[in-house]
Each structure stands twice: as structure tokens, then as C-alpha cells.
Amino acid sequence: AVKQSTALNAEAGRREFFGTAAAAAIGAFGVAAPASAVVDYEALAYLGGSNVVDLNNANVRVYLKMPGMYPTVAGKIVSNGPYASVADVYNIKGLTAAEKEVLKKYESRFAAFKPSPDYVIDRINNGLYR
């Protein structure tokens, strides 16, 4: 019976502690502080949500929407950036004439935005597997 009352006291103590801590936090700040994280990336649509693809930040799988691009040409694009302009993509070493033709076919659908560390890290492997 002694152990049971000790366990109940400990549980009551935790509830009281967290209730007091929460009340103190709300009392000290008045309201919850707003988060200061970057929520919106201005070029988010170009990561795969539109017809235009950002060469510097989009994941390799975005090129699945463009027949002939994935996996070879797309792999070369994401492995060789960043690009100052769309024209820089033609300077990738080892591009064949056929691969350059595929790039030319979709050139109007490419953009070259400033590389963002939040997205560049996932360009080759974003953790999606078949």
C-alpha cells in the first residue's frame, strides 16, 4: 500500500509541476511567441509544382515529368550545379549531342535561381525510394 501512495504522489507532483510551468510561461510572455523560421521559399513553385523547374534547387525526380531527362540528363544537371544561368547547363562536361538536344527541347522550362541550402542538400537524394 505504501508503494501505491508513493506512485500516486509522484504522478500528482508531475501534473502540478507541468501545470505550474505552463502557467508561468504564459504569464511571463502573455501569449505564445511567434516562430521565426522561414516558412515560405519564394521559388517554391519551381521545385516541381509548375511547368518551370529551378536547375539549382529542384530534386532529380522532378525531371520525371520530362521524357528523356530522367535519369541520365537529370542526374548530370543536379550533380554539376550551381548554374548562374540556364545557358550554363550546356557546359556540363560529358554531355552527348543527344543529351544536349533533350536539354534544348526543355530549355524554356528551366530557371536558375540562387541555390538555397534548404533544397540543394536534397537535389540528388530526397529519401524517396520505390
Side-chain angles (χ1 to χ4, degrees):
V2 176
K3 285 188 177 185
Q4 196 172 33
S5 75
T6 304
L8 291 175
N9 288 337
E11 183 63 31
R14 275 192 287 257
R15 281 193 205 126
E16 184 179 332
F17 171 77
F18 286 115
T20 304
I26 291 172
F29 297 108
V31 294
S36 60
V38 176
V39 192
D40 294 320
Y41 172 61
E42 62 275 359
L44 187 64
Y46 304 106
L47 299 178
S50 70
N51 283 335
V52 179
V53 174
D54 179 5
L55 295 171
N56 288 321
N57 295 297
N59 183 272
V60 69
R61 294 178 62 84
V62 170
Y63 298 98
L64 282 166
K65 299 177 182 178
M66 301 175 193
M69 290 287 294
Y70 185 88
T72 307
V73 179
K76 289 181 180 182
I77 290 172
V78 300
S79 298
N80 288 285
Y83 306 100
S85 69
V86 172
D88 287 352
V89 80
Y90 293 101
N91 298 327
I92 296 173
K93 289 186 180 192
L95 275 181
T96 66
E99 291 169 339
K100 287 182 181 182
E101 285 300 316
V102 171
L103 285 171
K104 188 72 172 164
K105 178 180 175 182
Y106 296 109
E107 183 177 11
S108 66
R109 294 181 58 185
F110 297 146
F113 292 101
K114 180 181 174 188
S116 171
D118 295 334
Y119 297 101
V120 170
I121 194 169
D122 290 330
R123 289 178 65 209
I124 296 172
N125 180 2
N126 65 353
L128 294 177
Y129 303 98
R130 289 186 193 189

